[in-house]
Amino acid sequence: MAVFKAYMKIARKNIWMILLYLGIFFCVTILFQRFVPEGAEGYTAESVPVGIVDEDGGEAAESLINYIGRTNETILLEDDRESLQEDLFYRNVGYIVRIPEGFMEKCILGEEKIEAVTVPGTYAGYYVDQQVNSYMVYARSYAAAGFTETEIASAMAHRDKAEVTLVDFSGNAGQVPAYTFYYRYLPYLLLSVLGYVMGYILMGFRRGSLPQRMRASAVPERRQSVEGLAASLVIALALWGVSAAVSVVMYRQDIFESGKLIWYLLNSLVMMLTALSLAYLVGTLVKSSNALSGIVNIISLGMCFVCGVFVEISYLSAEVRKAAQFLPVYWYETVNTLLTDHRTVAGSIRSEVLSGIGIQIVFAIAFVCVTLAVAKRSRRSS
């Protein structure tokens, strides 16, 4: 068991690095959880402070002001150019509507457009523009039907507001469970720690004359390989076990009540095996600590940014998602998203989850095959 003991000895020498990454992982997870909304009990339309310059004062103008005020804060302003510019500059208002004199005749019965000013490049302009245009469409329809100004104002005042009903597909009442963030960020921990640990171990076994001495050893090469793989699995399983145990301790009530703990553990276990196989490949290729640090950082941070760890998959562009499909972390995060968004794992959802886990296994096997090919070529060249 000399090889096994040597693997474990090198791993123990890097225990502080492992603890450092565990600390970073837990801090990042807790930090992101603090910025998560508590839940969504209902839907509320966004409110924008809208400045109104009313030069008309008629019933139709008042009707437009009330219509805008149903979902926004309306502020009556004086028609002073400098004051209006200051209000926009200091963001006292996000949008200014100028209602001209003769609003009914010019804008509703006529074709004149309402003058509006907004802060360039903000959503407020599009948002309030849509409401103003909506009012004008309805008002002109009523006018075409023969409604008077008073009747138009009354009809617009009694228009029903749109109602939005949130459907709870995930069973979380619109709330994102805290353990979701824990398992979302887990690949960063696995890729970083296993990448460094396995890299240092494999580099240690290639130093000096150690490879030649191991070949001349009485211990068969096959047994050396088996002991090395066993030690690697023990290290990886220990890291995964600590992570799983912490998640159960931190979120025991919520995660048990979800009924999806087994799926989260299975998905993270397969991700651990994939990270281990990738770490073995990196450790086989690198020859120095600087190279190891650079490659591990590129792989861990690169995959985490592109595959939905640090940024949700739904926020990524279509091009990035297409490219990320060629990386194992993307499929891990896809499974996590499915588990979060659905109350139960059954039917087509179960098939998608198993498919995502299966693709990760394929990646792990592919990394192992490439590692064996690289190791065989290295032995021949030496």
Side-chain angles (χ1 to χ4, degrees), residues 174-189:
Q175 184 176 5
V176 180
Y179 55 79
T180 297
F181 292 90
Y182 183 91
Y183 281 99
R184 181 196 295 174
Y185 304 131
L186 190 58
Y188 175 69
L189 174 68

Side-chain angles (χ1 to χ4, degrees), residues 135-190:
Y135 174 89
M136 296 305 298
V137 168
Y138 287 126
R140 284 170 176 168
S141 298
Y142 290 135
F147 283 44
T148 64
E149 182 174 358
T150 303
E151 290 172 335
I152 290 175
S154 176
M156 293 302 299
H158 291 89
R159 286 197 63 83
D160 294 332
K161 288 185 179 180
E163 294 185 4
V164 177
T165 302
L166 297 180
V167 181
D168 186 16
F169 288 109
S170 64
N172 300 317
Q175 184 176 5
V176 180
Y179 55 79
T180 297
F181 292 90
Y182 183 91
Y183 281 99
R184 181 196 295 174
Y185 304 131
L186 190 58
Y188 175 69
L189 174 68
L190 298 175

Side-chain angles (χ1 to χ4, degrees), residues 185-198:
Y185 304 131
L186 190 58
Y188 175 69
L189 174 68
L190 298 175
L191 290 169
S192 299
V193 173
L194 292 178
Y196 277 115
V197 172
M198 297 311 304

Side-chain angles (χ1 to χ4, degrees), residues 39 49 101 115 117 130 172 174 208 226 238 273 289-290 293 314 348 350 376:
E101 185 177 355
E115 183 182 345
V117 183
Q130 186 179 23
N172 300 317
V226 170
L273 294 174
S289 298
N290 290 335
S293 178
S314 59
S348 61
R350 183 189 185 96
K376 185 176 181 179

Side-chain angles (χ1 to χ4, degrees), residues 268-280:
S268 61
L269 176 62
V270 174
M271 183 66 240
M272 179 273 292
L273 294 174
T274 306
L276 177 61
S277 62
L278 180 57
Y280 228 97

Side-chain angles (χ1 to χ4, degrees), residues 10-31:
I10 297 175
R12 284 196 296 271
K13 284 186 176 181
N14 292 279
I15 189 65
W16 291 111
M17 184 267 298
I18 296 174
L19 294 176
L20 174 63
Y21 272 91
L22 282 169
I24 293 173
F25 171 70
F26 295 136
C27 289
V28 168
T29 304
I30 294 171
L31 178 65

